Amino acid sequence: MAQIMFSSSFSVSKSRGWISTRAHGFSPILNDSRAKILGCHNMPSAFVGGGEAKSIRDLTIARSERKTINPSYGKPDYVHSVLTFKETPLDEMDRRIEELVGEIKGLFNSMEDGEISPSAYDTAWVARVPAIDGFAEPQFPQMVDWILQNQLPDGSWGEKRRFLACDRLLNTLSCLVTLAFWGVGNNQLSRGLNFLRRNIEGMIKEALGHYRPKGFEMAFPVLLNEAKLLGLDLPYQLSVMKQISEKRDLQLRKVSVEELHIHPSSMLQCLEGIQEVVDWKNILKLQSKDGSFSGCPASTACVFLHTGDEKCLRFLTSLVKKFGDHVPGIYPVDIAERLRGVDNVERLGLERHFQTEIKQAMDYVFQYWSERGIGFGRESLVPDIDITATAFRLLRTFGYSVSSEVLKNIKGEAEELLKLSGNENSAGGIAILSLYRSSQLNFPGENIMKEIDAFAKDYLAEFLQSENFSQAKAVKENLPEEVEYALSFRWNRNMPMLISRNHIELFDPDDLWLGKTLYQLPKASNDKYLELAKLDFNRIQATHRSEIPRLKRWYKDCDFPRLDFNRHREVAVYWSSSAVMFEPQYTDCRLDYTKAIILSVIIDDLYDTYASMHQLNIFNEAFERWDPLIIDQLPEDMKIVFMGIYNTLTDISERVREVQGRDVLPYLRQQWLNLLLSFTKEREWMERSYSPSLDEYWENARVSIGMETTILTPIFSTGDRLPDEILQKLDFFDLVNQTGRIMNDARTFQRERDRGESASFVDCYINEHPGCGEEEALNYMERMNEDALTELNYHFLMRADIPRRYRTLLFNGARIVETVYRNEDSFLNAAEDLEGCIKKSLYEPLL
C-alpha cells in the first residue's frame, strides 16, 4: 500500500499548548540507525521520448531487478550540514535584488517599438538609396559613414562577438558593394576584399554545409553578381561560387511567382534576393501599413530603388531618424522584444517580481495575436515560427485563451522550411525547439498538439546527433544542452526550481538571434537578468535552509525519531515541498505541506504491517472522536503517531483561524479520517488476501495515495483567506490523485506483491482482463497518466475562477510525483536517489 510521497511543514513549540507523548512516561526507542545539466535528474523520464527515454514497463522491469530496501531499515535522512561557501549577507542580497528588479522593470516599461542591434547588411542596402533631389550622392550619407567606421579588425563586417560564416559573408559583401557603388572608402574596400579572398571559399563551404538563414542562398549570389559588375576582385571562378548559385536557382524555381504577389510570405523579407521574378507594381499590394515589406529595411530599400514608392521612403526615413547612422535587420520588434523579456523572467524563476510588467507585455502581444500567428512586429504580415510558438506558450502560461489551431499552419511552415533546406538549416532547430515547448501546454482533444510533439521530438532527437547541431552553437552556445534538457524533462513532469536553475546555468546574457544576420535585443536579455536570477535563487535557497531547523524541531517535539518502523526523510520531504511553493512568502505553506507528507508516510508505514487490525480500529476510533484518552491502550509508537497528528492539526487550525475567519480543524480532521479509513481498507484486503475489482480498488486508491489530504492540509496557510466557494471549486483533485496513484503503483507494485499485497492497479487490471500481462497494464496506466496530465494542464492554466496560488499548489503536487517516481520509488532511497536534486535546490548556490 506504498503511499505517495512527501510535502511541507511549519515549526511548532510546546509552549503553544502541545500535548507531549512524554507525559505518559514512555522510554526511548532506539533507532537503527549527477553533471551540470542533468545531475539532479539521474533517472530517465518514464514517458518522454528521445534519447534513453523508457516506458513504464521498461523502467519497472529495470527497477525490479535491483535490490530493494525495506523501509523499516531506512537510512538516515539526507543532511548537508556543512556549507562549502561563504554566504552573502542577506540584507546585502535583498538590497541588490531590489535594485535589479527596479532596473529590469525600467527596461520593460521603456519597451516601445523595440531596441535591436545594428545590421551592417541592411545598413548597406539603405545606404544605396540615392538622394531624391537627383544629385549623385546618398540620401542617407550617415549610413555610409557608419559602414566606414564599423569595419572589424579582420576586414569584415558583422557581429563581432560571434563568428558565423553566413553572417560575415552577407554583411561584408553588402558593405563592399555599397562602398564600391559610391566610390568611397578605398582602404576599407581593400581590407574587406583581402578578408574575402582569404576566407570566402571556406566560409561558403561552412555556410552551405551547416548553418545559414533561409535567405542566405538567395541574397548572397545576387551580391556576388553585383560585386562582379562593379569590378571587385574576388575569386568568382571557385567551384563553391557555382555551387551556391545553383542552390539559388533551385530555390528560385520552387517559388510560385503567382503566390508571391498574392499572399504575404517569408519571401517579402528577401525581395532583394529574388529581384528577377518580382513584379514591382504588384508587390506593392503586400506592403505593410508602415510602408515596409515585412519590417525588413533591405527589402524595402530594394523596392524603393525599383519603384520610388513614397511609403517605402517614409519607412526608411523613420528608421534613420530613430537610429541615426544605422538600421537594424528588422523593425519594429515590439512583439519579439516583449516576448523575449517575458520568456526570460518566467523561465529564470523571476515571475513574481514582474507580474504587472508581464501582464502589460502579454496584453500587448494578445492585442495583435491572430489565428494565423504573429511576427516580430505589430505590422508584420508574415508569422514567424519561433515568435508564434513562443507567444502561444506564454499566452497559455499566463491564462490567455488561444486556440491550438494556430500551430497547424506553423507546423506546416516548419515542415516546409526543413524540406526546402534539406534539413541543412540549423536555424530551424531553434524554431522547432520552441514548437516542442509549446506543444507541451496541450489541452484535451488537441490532436494537433500531439502531432507537433511527435514531429518536433523526432526532429530534435535526430538533430541533436547531427553535425549541423554542433554548428548551431555558433549562434546559441548552449543550444545542445537546452534541447537535451527539454527532451529529457517535460514541463509538466519537472519541478519549477530545477527548471529555473537549469535555465540560469544555460542563460547567455548576450543572447543572439539569427534573421538574415545576427542580432540582439538588449532590453530583453542582458547581464542584469542573469545577476538577478542568481541572487534570487540563492536568496530563496537561504530562506529554505532556514526553515529546515524549524521542521526538525517539530519532528523532534513529536518524538518521531523514536519510531523504528518509519522512514526518516525530513529533508527529502521538505525539498519536495519547497519545490511545490518555492516563493519566500509561503514559509508556513511549505512547512505545513512537509508535515502533512511526513505524517501520511508515518501512518502509511504504521497501517501497512506494523499495527494489528484491532489496534488500527482503536486508533481510528480515537481519531474520529478526537479523544487522546482512547489511545492509552495502544503501544507507545502508536501513541506517538496519534499525538503527532493531533497536535499538528490543532496547531495549524489555531494559527490560520484569524486569517481564515473560521475554525478549519473539522475540515482537516475529516480529510485525515478519510485517509486513515482508506489505509484500513487496504490492510483488510491484505489480511484477507482479497483481490478487489478495479473499480473498487480505484475508489479507495485515489484516497490512499494521500495527495488530497497532504495538499488540503497546507492550503489554508498561503496567507490568504480561502472561502468555501473557492475550496469547492478544486474539483480536479481526482486528476492529481490519478497521476500520483499511477506513478506510485507503477514503481511499487512488484515490491508490494512480494510482500503479500494483491491490491494494486496492475494486479487488478490483469485480473479483469484475462490474458493480458504486466506490459499491457503498464501501457494502459501510461495512457491514463498522459490523459490526466493533459487535463491538469487545462485546469492549471485556464481556471481563472480559482486563484493561481491554489491551482499551483495542486499542479505542482502532481509535478513532484512525476519527478520522484520518474524511474523508481526514489522516496524509498531518498538519500541516494534524490541527493543531486536536494543539493541543487537547497545547498549549492549559483555563483
Side-chain angles (χ1 to χ4, degrees):
M1 105 179 49
Q3 189 259 352
I4 176 170
M5 35 153 257
F6 18 84
S7 201
S8 196
S9 114
F10 64 98
S11 88
V12 291
S13 168
K14 292 184 180 181
S15 64
R16 299 187 66 174
W18 273 51
I19 302 175
S20 173
T21 55
R22 289 193 175 94
H24 296 276
F26 297 156
S27 60
I29 301 175
L30 297 178
N31 262 334
D32 290 328
S33 302
R34 256 171 190 179
K36 177 182 176 184
I37 304 304
L38 304 181
C40 63
H41 291 289
N42 59 341
M43 34 308 184
S45 171
F47 302 137
V48 300
E52 296 298 319
K54 302 176 181 178
S55 67
I56 287 183
R57 173 184 176 273
D58 294 334
L59 294 172
T60 301
I61 292 173
R63 175 203 48 74
S64 65
E65 292 172 350
R66 300 173 184 167
K67 181 179 179 181
T68 59
I69 300 175
N70 189 317
S72 298
Y73 302 98
K75 296 183 179 180
D77 190 22
Y78 171 83
V79 179
H80 190 94
S81 58
V82 179
L83 299 181
T84 58
F85 61 95
K86 183 178 180 181
E87 286 194 278
T88 304
L90 298 184
D91 58 347
E92 182 180 328
M93 292 175 67
D94 291 339
R95 281 196 299 272
R96 184 55 181 157
I97 287 172
E98 185 177 355
E99 290 174 0
L100 288 167
V101 168
E103 291 175 13
I104 294 175
K105 282 177 179 284
L107 293 177
F108 270 98
N109 292 331
S110 64
M111 288 181 180
E112 295 179 353
D113 285 348
E115 183 176 331
I116 182 173
S117 56
S119 166
Y121 172 82
D122 290 84
T123 299
W125 266 99
V126 176
R128 292 196 201 185
V129 174
I132 58 176
D133 59 9
F135 286 97
E137 59 185 25
Q139 173 69 14
F140 307 110
Q142 60 269 52
M143 303 286 109
V144 179
D145 291 339
W146 186 92
I147 295 171
L148 294 172
Q149 296 167 12
N150 284 273
Q151 189 174 27
L152 298 177
D154 64 3
S156 68
W157 281 266
E159 175 54 56
K160 61 182 178 181
R161 291 164 300 175
R162 203 79 53 86
F163 188 97
L164 186 65
C166 60
D167 176 75
R168 292 295 178 93
L169 284 170
L170 275 182
N171 284 306
T172 300
L173 193 54
S174 184
C175 288
L176 291 176
V177 167
T178 296
L179 293 179
F181 179 82
W182 291 114
V184 298
N186 289 335
N187 179 53
Q188 287 85 348
L189 269 171
S190 176
R191 291 172 56 211
L193 288 171
N194 284 335
F195 170 82
L196 287 181
R197 283 193 290 265
R198 291 193 312 268
N199 301 293
I200 194 167
E201 183 173 17
M203 291 173 67
I204 292 177
K205 286 180 179 179
E206 180 180 333
L208 290 178
H210 300 299
Y211 203 94
R212 64 189 183 277
K214 56 190 176 184
F216 172 78
E217 57 200 32
M218 304 302 289
F220 188 68
V222 172
L223 289 173
L224 278 176
N225 187 57
E226 292 182 339
K228 189 174 183 179
L229 292 175
L230 288 166
L232 296 182
D233 183 17
L234 290 172
Y236 302 102
Q237 75 283 357
L238 292 174
S239 61
V240 290
M241 301 287 201
K242 181 179 180 181
Q243 184 181 354
I244 194 171
S245 294
E246 289 174 348
K247 277 185 172 289
R248 178 182 181 272
D249 292 341
L250 178 63
Q251 295 295 335
L252 201 58
R253 285 196 293 271
K254 295 179 181 179
V255 175
S256 170
V257 176
E258 182 180 359
E259 288 293 316
L260 172 67
H261 296 87
I262 296 176
H263 301 295
S265 70
S266 59
M267 286 291 102
L268 292 179
Q269 298 171 347
C270 194
L271 293 175
E272 74 276 12
I274 56 171
Q275 296 179 49
E276 63 265 48
V277 299
V278 176
D279 182 324
W280 299 106
K281 181 179 179 180
N282 284 332
I283 205 70
L284 288 173
K285 297 176 183 177
L286 299 179
Q287 193 173 25
S288 297
K289 291 180 181 179
D290 61 3
S292 75
F293 284 83
S294 202
C296 179
S299 273
T300 307
C302 182
V303 174
F304 176 76
L305 291 172
H306 283 277
T307 65
D309 180 73
E310 292 185 3
K311 291 176 65 178
C312 288
L313 183 61
R314 282 201 300 269
F315 173 74
L316 297 175
T317 302
S318 69
L319 288 187
V320 174
K321 182 178 181 181
K322 178 175 180 60
F323 292 100
D325 58 357
H326 68 272
V327 295
I330 190 168
Y331 205 77
V333 287
D334 48 329
I335 301 297
E337 184 179 62
R338 285 166 174 79
L339 287 173
R340 302 297 188 209
V342 171
D343 187 38
N344 279 330
V345 298
E346 191 269 332
R347 294 175 62 205
L348 289 169
L350 302 172
E351 177 185 336
R352 72 185 188 283
H353 294 297
F354 303 102
Q355 292 185 12
T356 299
E357 291 72 25
I358 289 172
K359 183 163 192 319
Q360 289 173 346
M362 297 314 298
D363 281 348
Y364 185 91
V365 172
F366 190 58
Q367 177 183 353
Y368 296 102
W369 177 259
S370 74
E371 292 306 311
R372 65 177 177 85
I374 199 166
F376 284 80
R378 61 186 178 277
E379 301 291 349
S380 176
L381 300 178
V382 183
D384 179 82
I385 298 170
D386 181 28
I387 296 296
T388 298
T390 301
F392 176 86
R393 174 171 55 82
L394 291 175
L395 286 168
R396 279 208 168 174
T397 295
F398 295 106
Y400 294 81
S401 180
V402 288
S403 170
S404 60
E405 287 299 304
V406 69
L407 297 184
K408 185 178 293 185
N409 293 332
I410 298 301
K411 175 178 179 285
E413 289 187 22
E415 291 172 327
E416 186 64 20
L417 166 65
L418 300 177
K419 179 181 177 182
L420 285 174
S421 61
N423 287 337
E424 294 174 348
N425 187 351
S426 297
I430 297 173
I432 303 304
L433 178 59
S434 292
L435 267 179
Y436 180 63
R437 285 176 172 147
S438 70
S439 72
Q440 295 178 29
L441 277 69
N442 59 326
F443 296 160
E446 293 184 325
N447 292 328
I448 183 61
M449 301 289 271
K450 295 180 180 179
E451 294 175 13
I452 291 174
D453 178 89
F455 154 73
K457 185 163 54 180
D458 289 345
Y459 175 83
L460 292 172
E462 180 179 348
F463 198 24
L464 193 60
Q465 306 300 322
S466 71
E467 186 179 359
N468 289 343
F469 199 85
S470 65
Q471 295 296 321
K473 296 175 68 172
V475 173
K476 293 178 73 68
E477 185 174 356
N478 294 322
L479 184 60
E481 289 85 354
E482 278 195 52
V483 171
E484 184 178 359
Y485 193 85
L487 289 175
S488 299
F489 309 108
R490 295 174 65 88
W491 167 76
N492 58 1
R493 291 171 172 151
N494 201 358
M495 296 161 61
M497 280 282 286
L498 296 179
I499 294 174
S500 296
R501 175 158 189 146
N502 174 261
H503 189 55
I504 294 169
E505 290 176 336
L506 296 179
F507 183 76
D508 182 356
D510 296 321
D511 214 358
L512 292 172
W513 301 87
L514 183 62
K516 270 183 289 193
T517 56
L518 292 169
Y519 67 91
Q520 185 185 24
L521 299 173
K523 286 188 179 180
S525 180
N526 55 52
D527 290 329
K528 290 180 172 56
Y529 287 89
L530 182 59
E531 184 185 358
L532 175 60
K534 288 182 175 181
L535 279 173
D536 193 65
F537 187 94
N538 293 344
R539 185 63 178 89
I540 290 172
Q541 270 193 342
T543 298
H544 291 176
R545 284 196 301 271
S546 72
E547 293 168 2
I548 293 174
R550 297 175 60 183
L551 171 67
K552 287 187 169 293
R553 285 196 298 271
W554 164 83
Y555 197 79
K556 184 178 179 181
D557 287 343
C558 288
D559 287 341
F560 290 155
R562 301 168 65 194
L563 303 176
D564 63 353
F565 64 85
N566 177 45
R567 294 166 278 182
H568 302 291
R569 296 287 185 266
E570 308 96 276
V571 175
V573 173
Y574 173 81
W575 162 76
S576 72
S577 303
S578 68
V580 169
M581 298 291 278
F582 68 87
E583 295 88 347
Q585 67 268 31
Y586 293 122
T587 290
D588 285 340
C589 184
R590 276 189 295 278
L591 291 171
D592 289 352
Y593 201 163
T594 307
K595 293 174 185 178
I597 297 178
I598 288 174
L599 289 172
S600 66
V601 172
I602 290 174
I603 295 169
D604 181 45
D605 290 342
L606 178 71
Y607 277 58
D608 225 1
T609 55
Y610 183 79
S612 68
M613 282 302 305
H614 175 67
Q615 292 168 338
L616 294 180
N617 287 329
I618 295 174
F619 193 96
N620 290 346
E621 180 185 359
F623 191 92
E624 187 168 9
R625 293 169 59 180
W626 206 240
D627 185 357
L629 296 178
I630 296 177
I631 66 171
D632 280 342
Q633 53 189 303
L634 293 177
E636 294 176 350
D637 282 6
M638 296 188 71
K639 293 176 182 178
I640 291 174
V641 175
F642 183 90
M643 296 313 305
I645 303 173
Y646 185 94
N647 286 325
T648 300
L649 296 185
T650 299
D651 187 85
I652 292 174
S653 63
E654 289 177 354
R655 177 166 43 78
V656 304
R657 182 191 295 269
E658 183 176 352
V659 172
Q660 297 303 326
R662 67 186 191 278
D663 183 12
V664 302
L665 183 58
Y667 181 86
L668 296 178
R669 285 172 54 192
Q670 186 59 54
Q671 289 296 324
W672 283 89
L673 180 60
N674 294 342
L675 183 63
L676 296 181
L677 295 177
S678 70
F679 286 166
T680 303
K681 180 171 289 189
E682 289 184 344
R683 179 61 182 277
E684 289 173 347
W685 289 343
M686 186 172 66
E687 292 281 327
R688 296 190 288 124
S689 297
Y690 175 70
S691 297
S693 67
L694 187 57
D695 288 343
E696 186 180 7
Y697 169 77
W698 189 253
E699 181 66 22
N700 191 69
R702 66 181 183 83
V703 180
S704 67
I705 192 61
M707 295 196 70
E708 191 163 351
T709 303
T710 55
I711 292 174
L712 287 175
T713 297
I715 200 170
F716 296 102
S717 302
T718 59
D720 299 295
R721 186 166 185 172
L722 178 59
D724 288 337
E725 57 266 27
I726 295 297
L727 195 59
Q728 292 166 2
K729 289 180 179 179
L730 301 176
D731 53 3
F732 53 101
F733 252 116
D734 272 349
L735 299 171
V736 181
N737 293 333
Q738 179 171 320
T739 187
R741 173 51 69 189
I742 288 172
M743 292 298 293
N744 177 273
D745 275 18
R747 303 295 176 260
T748 63
F749 79 91
Q750 185 64 55
R751 185 176 66 247
E752 295 187 354
R753 182 191 290 166
D754 295 341
R755 200 169 60 202
E757 295 186 32
S758 58
S760 73
F761 192 102
V762 174
D763 290 321
C764 292
Y765 185 89
I766 292 174
N767 290 340
E768 289 201 1
H769 298 79
C772 89
E774 289 179 6
E775 180 177 6
E776 183 178 334
L778 290 168
N779 287 338
Y780 180 77
M781 293 167 68
E782 185 173 330
R783 293 192 297 271
M784 282 185 64
N785 190 63
E786 181 64 36
D787 290 343
L789 290 172
T790 301
E791 289 192 55
L792 274 173
N793 285 351
Y794 174 81
H795 287 285
F796 171 54
L797 296 172
M798 302 307 297
R799 288 291 299 276
D801 56 327
I802 303 171
R804 190 177 179 91
R805 58 187 171 276
Y806 303 129
R807 288 180 276 152
T808 299
L809 194 59
L810 270 67
F811 187 72
N812 285 352
R815 295 167 88 175
I816 289 295
V817 180
E818 296 292 327
T819 301
V820 173
Y821 291 100
R822 189 185 304 276
N823 183 47
E824 61 181 342
D825 183 359
S826 291
F827 182 50
L828 183 66
N829 305 314
E832 297 82 14
D833 293 342
L834 299 176
E835 181 175 357
C837 294
I838 293 172
K839 283 183 177 180
K840 281 185 173 288
S841 296
L842 298 179
Y843 295 108
E844 293 180 356
L846 287 163
L847 303 177

